[in-house]
Amino acid sequence: MLQVHLKLSSECNGICEILEFLGSGTQGEVYRVRAQTSNNECALKWYFPQNATKHQKKLLKKLIAAGAPDPSFLWPFDLVSDQNGNFGYLMPLREKNYYSINDMMRRIAEPSFQTLCRAGYQLAECFDKLHVCGFSYRDISFGNVYIDPITGNIRIGDNDNVAPNDLTESGVSGTPRFMAPEVVTGEAPPSRWTDLFSLAVLLFYMFFLGHPLDGAKEASIHCLDVLAMKKLYGEEPVFVYDPSNASNRPVRGYHDNVIVYWNKVYPAFLKNLFLQSFTDGLTCPEARVTERQWMNCFAWLSASLFHCPHCNAEIFVREQRNACWCCGKWVASPMRIELKGGSFAVKPDAELLSHHVKHDYKANVIGTILRNPTSPEIMGLRNDSEQQWTYVRSDGSSVVIPPGRSGALR
């Protein structure tokens, strides 16, 4: 354990105990530390001297003053400096039950479809809050987003690169393969619009385990150097399932995950958003899918999930008769609640959200599907809202269901 004298931005001299080295990147090193004054553990990012610039310090002060748009952001909360003018910042520690998207790609963490839907919703919601505050993230990628594979909760790190939308001078343009085409070619700086492209790439990785622009063109390149990447992801990008350009289709043996998930697993309304993102959205930033469109999509994607009665795999209600992607057997569509925005599959413990009933973009639970305790084959919907519901029976008569009570579904 190493004790170092550091100065907090509050102008108080403090002592930080460095407990553990966590890792390093291009900008600096990260440590687990404990502040002696509060005895709380947090993370310290300490910049390499060449990155400890006046511009970076000024930006950090803005971020600290603004505060985190959402608790999911591991947001800077204090500046730390030494006697030589070097500095860093303190931020919350990332809990050990959170894994990176890269861990998902390597199968170290394998979240369920239900968990992915929750994570996708939260990601879109967090970046919506960030953008509403007037900031852009500028580096959405594998290394900055973490998921709890059980709950679907997320954490977003490396927030010292966040900058106001109108700031054109920034040291970070993004991560290769995640940057929008106009950033790759140098035609535009990072912004909220380029964030939307990077978010779509990240979501495609999460749900399809592959890159949306990696198909036959990428597979034919033997050396993926800077010039090749500029062409693939900046100058001549083609979505792997572009309906009007089949030159970059996924290749079996290289892109099997994308082929299976696109053709056998997901419903059309999810795929349509990726089509929009990577066809019109490639060249027209204003055509990109917004955060709230993604939130709406993932709320309904989660609602359409049910389990295959043959192999218990998670499958989605689709537009046509369902064949299980896992065992291949035909599956009858489950009982559904048809709402204006989509289909809600009836299954035990499924949660009906306020978002399903009205577009308020909130994930408040207003109802829960339950089995009848005496007749388990009968499903009911419990009123978890604060309002009374009117339940209309098949004979036309109606019953009022107060909060906390249930009505049978037939």
Side-chain angles (χ1 to χ4, degrees), residues 46-321:
W46 192 254
Y47 290 102
F48 297 132
Q50 66 270 23
N51 297 112
T53 63
K54 291 182 180 180
H55 172 76
Q56 185 65 58
K57 197 172 207 177
K58 182 180 178 181
L59 186 58
L60 278 170
K61 287 181 178 179
K62 282 187 178 182
L63 297 176
I64 291 168
D70 185 273
S72 297
F73 288 94
L74 302 176
W75 200 261
F77 63 81
D78 210 342
L79 272 173
V80 181
S81 58
D82 64 12
Q83 302 134 331
N84 302 317
N86 299 310
F87 66 91
Y89 67 90
L90 299 178
M91 58 182 166
L93 272 172
R94 171 169 57 90
E95 302 95 322
K96 291 185 177 180
N97 55 309
Y98 284 83
Y99 293 81
S100 70
I101 309 298
N102 206 21
D103 291 331
M104 288 172 48
M105 299 292 291
R106 293 183 293 158
R107 304 289 187 180
I108 295 174
E110 296 194 65
S112 65
F113 286 135
Q114 184 71 63
T115 299
L116 282 179
C117 291
R118 290 173 184 160
Y121 188 99
Q122 287 189 29
L123 267 176
E125 183 179 35
C126 284
F127 285 116
D128 181 52
K129 291 178 179 179
L130 180 76
H131 294 145
V132 165
C133 292
F135 292 104
S136 56
Y137 188 83
R138 299 176 176 237
D139 192 20
I140 299 173
S141 66
F142 278 157
N144 302 331
V145 174
Y146 306 89
I147 298 175
D148 182 331
I150 304 300
T151 66
N153 292 332
I154 65 163
R155 294 290 182 266
I156 301 172
D158 280 352
N159 295 289
D160 52 329
N161 294 320
V162 171
N165 269 326
D166 57 356
L167 185 68
T168 56
E169 50 180 69
S170 174
V172 174
S173 296
T175 297
R177 297 161 67 91
F178 285 86
M179 292 186 287
E182 64 269 27
V183 177
V184 176
T185 59
E187 297 173 20
S191 66
R192 182 214 169 197
W193 298 110
T194 64
D195 273 2
L196 291 180
F197 182 86
S198 302
L199 175 61
V201 174
L202 182 65
L203 291 171
F204 195 88
Y205 264 120
M206 287 170 58
F207 284 85
F208 292 88
L209 298 179
H211 193 284
L213 306 180
D214 283 355
K217 292 191 173 190
E218 180 262 347
S220 67
I221 297 173
H222 299 293
C223 179
L224 199 61
D225 58 16
V226 174
L227 291 177
M229 291 183 69
K230 185 177 181 181
K231 185 176 180 179
L232 280 175
Y233 308 118
E235 297 171 343
E236 300 176 15
V238 178
F239 180 43
V240 292
Y241 281 108
D242 188 319
S244 61
N245 186 345
S247 65
N248 196 32
R249 289 289 184 260
V251 178
R252 294 193 182 278
Y254 288 90
H255 313 114
D256 292 339
N257 288 328
V258 173
I259 293 171
V260 171
Y261 285 120
W262 187 270
N263 292 293
K264 294 186 176 182
V265 178
Y266 293 116
F269 68 85
L270 172 67
K271 295 189 287 186
N272 287 340
L273 287 190
F274 285 115
L275 283 168
Q276 178 182 336
S277 297
F278 302 120
T279 53
D280 293 342
L282 276 178
T283 55
C284 181
E286 291 80 6
R288 288 169 186 162
V289 178
T290 66
E291 306 91 340
R292 295 196 172 189
Q293 284 178 285
W294 286 121
M295 290 164 65
N296 183 56
C297 173
F298 293 129
W300 285 111
L301 194 64
S302 173
S304 68
L305 265 173
F306 66 107
H307 288 270
C308 173
H310 307 293
C311 68
N312 204 40
E314 290 178 295
I315 55 178
F316 297 92
V317 175
R318 301 179 75 182
E319 296 73 17
Q320 299 174 346
R321 191 180 178 193

